[in-house]
Amino acid sequence: MKKYLSKIYNYLPHFCHNLFVTGYNIVNYKIRMSGNYSKWRKHYKNNEGLPIEELKKIQESKFIDLLRYTFNNSPFYAQFYKDVDVLSISEISEIQKLPIIHKEILRANIDQIITLPKNRAKASKTGGTTGKSLTVYKFENDIQERIAILDNFRAKEGYELGKRTAWFSGKSLLTKRDIKKNRFWKTDYWYNVRYYSTFHMKDTFLKYYIENLTTYSPEFLVGFPSTIYEIAKYGLAHNIDFPSNTVKAIFPTAETVTKETRAALELFFKTKVYDQYASSEGAPFIFECKLGNLHMDIQTGVFEVLDENDTPAKEGRLILTSFTSYGTPLIRYDIGDSLLLSDKICTCGNNNPLVEEILGRVSDYIYSSETGKINLGNVSNTLKDTKGIIKFQVIQDSLERIEIKIVLDSAKYSNHIEKIFLDNWRDRVGTKMDIDITQVDDIAVEKSGKYRIVQNNIKHLIENNS
Ligand SMILES: [Zn+2]
């Protein structure tokens, strides 16, 4: 939300906020669900249950199309592939002839990478849970195709837009009055979606979430699993019996679902969790099926798993190629996640190959005495509307203070940007905590080669007191 709009928002009464959220959604859904959306819904629905040989053929031809398009339309890739005879590549097995691209290369060269003028593109800011800022540019068609694929996945459990849904996303929705009244949600009455704040995960607030969820009785829960987990854990600890046959499915987004999280969610809400893997830069999809297995959807891209010598392995770094990335092509993209593959075969009817586990996305949080736990997704989203922050790390050594280390692109950074970044933090941690921002040249990585966006060194204090 633009700053002047959010100032007005703060003065409006609750029912106006609901209208505001509704209007915002009508506009947004219109773009996402027009154009080729219905065509893609049908297309992927028809392809359900195809044998693996057919799926591989589709994958190969989509790969060749994307590769040639990219070579001919992206100045960066044309140069990046100058030592490869791209036009002679005709099989997926030849993908290894192409160099791997990293997030930092993508960020630094984005203007040369994109294949469409920025004014014709939909910009999409990403942080995911990585703490690195990146904007990618997408064709409407790619967005519509992606939404169609996601909607087909959710439709298997009965979901359609308009069914009563509780959404737990990283948007700042509430005013001080809301918090005083213990009202932690806004409602879109047109599409039947209630948005719950994920910035107020504190024991003293959680009972109001549960009371409200019980009366609202949503058929579906969508959003940050760490937030839904806090609610479920509170409910279980206080022996609250959530009404059975209410929630038909839980669809987590953005973060890893640990075994512990899944168990608590399924037990408290008396339903099943359906996990998925995707990312805002436009990665191909991994979907969980009814039998609890994770399928890589190979019609949406190529999944390579490589060891430290870049040799294919059962466990290692995930290198992605995405067939819905025509605006900002992702070909052999090192997204920073790791995967453990599985040899098992699933009998659910989906013949896509299986993943045993998505590794290496540790779930961590910052704690504010005022607002409670701030999960990784919300921490990462503090980059929203900023420029020039290449990456950052938050360190918490006490309940009263956090230190944020930032690596800057000083050509793009300014005092104004710092204020936006700080305001984003204030939305999440409240007004009382000290926030110290320190500029550094780089942030040290862990043994795994990744750096951790959150370093919480006082978890022992929080787990006992919250
Ligand atoms: Zn399956």
Side-chain angles (χ1 to χ4, degrees), residues 54-113:
E54 288 291 320
L55 292 169
K56 281 185 173 162
K57 262 188 225 157
I58 293 171
Q59 186 190 36
E60 193 156 81
S61 98
K62 282 190 171 187
F63 167 65
I64 304 299
D65 287 349
L66 175 72
L67 180 60
R68 296 204 174 151
Y69 170 85
T70 301
F71 187 64
N72 291 326
N73 293 281
S74 165
F76 170 84
Y77 275 103
Q79 178 65 20
F80 197 48
Y81 292 162
K82 66 180 188 315
D83 300 327
V84 186
D85 185 3
V86 169
L87 298 176
S88 78
I89 291 179
S90 63
E91 284 175 27
I92 250 174
S93 57
E94 294 173 89
I95 196 169
Q96 292 188 42
K97 292 179 181 168
L98 302 167
I100 291 171
I101 182 169
H102 297 270
K103 197 165 266 185
E104 193 40 42
I105 305 179
L106 197 65
R107 199 194 65 79
N109 300 285
I110 192 74
D111 290 349
Q112 298 301 309
I113 287 176

Side-chain angles (χ1 to χ4, degrees), residues 287-295 345-352 354:
F287 291 125
E288 179 173 345
C289 71
K290 264 209 155 29
L291 301 177
N293 289 318
L294 293 166
H295 292 262
I345 290 179
C346 189
T347 56
C348 73
N350 180 343
N351 296 307
N352 277 296
L354 298 185

Side-chain angles (χ1 to χ4, degrees), residues 158-174:
Y159 173 86
E160 284 297 337
L161 186 62
K163 299 257 174 137
R164 201 192 303 258
T165 301
W167 207 286
F168 301 84
S169 72
K171 282 198 173 59
S172 162
L173 302 160
L174 307 180

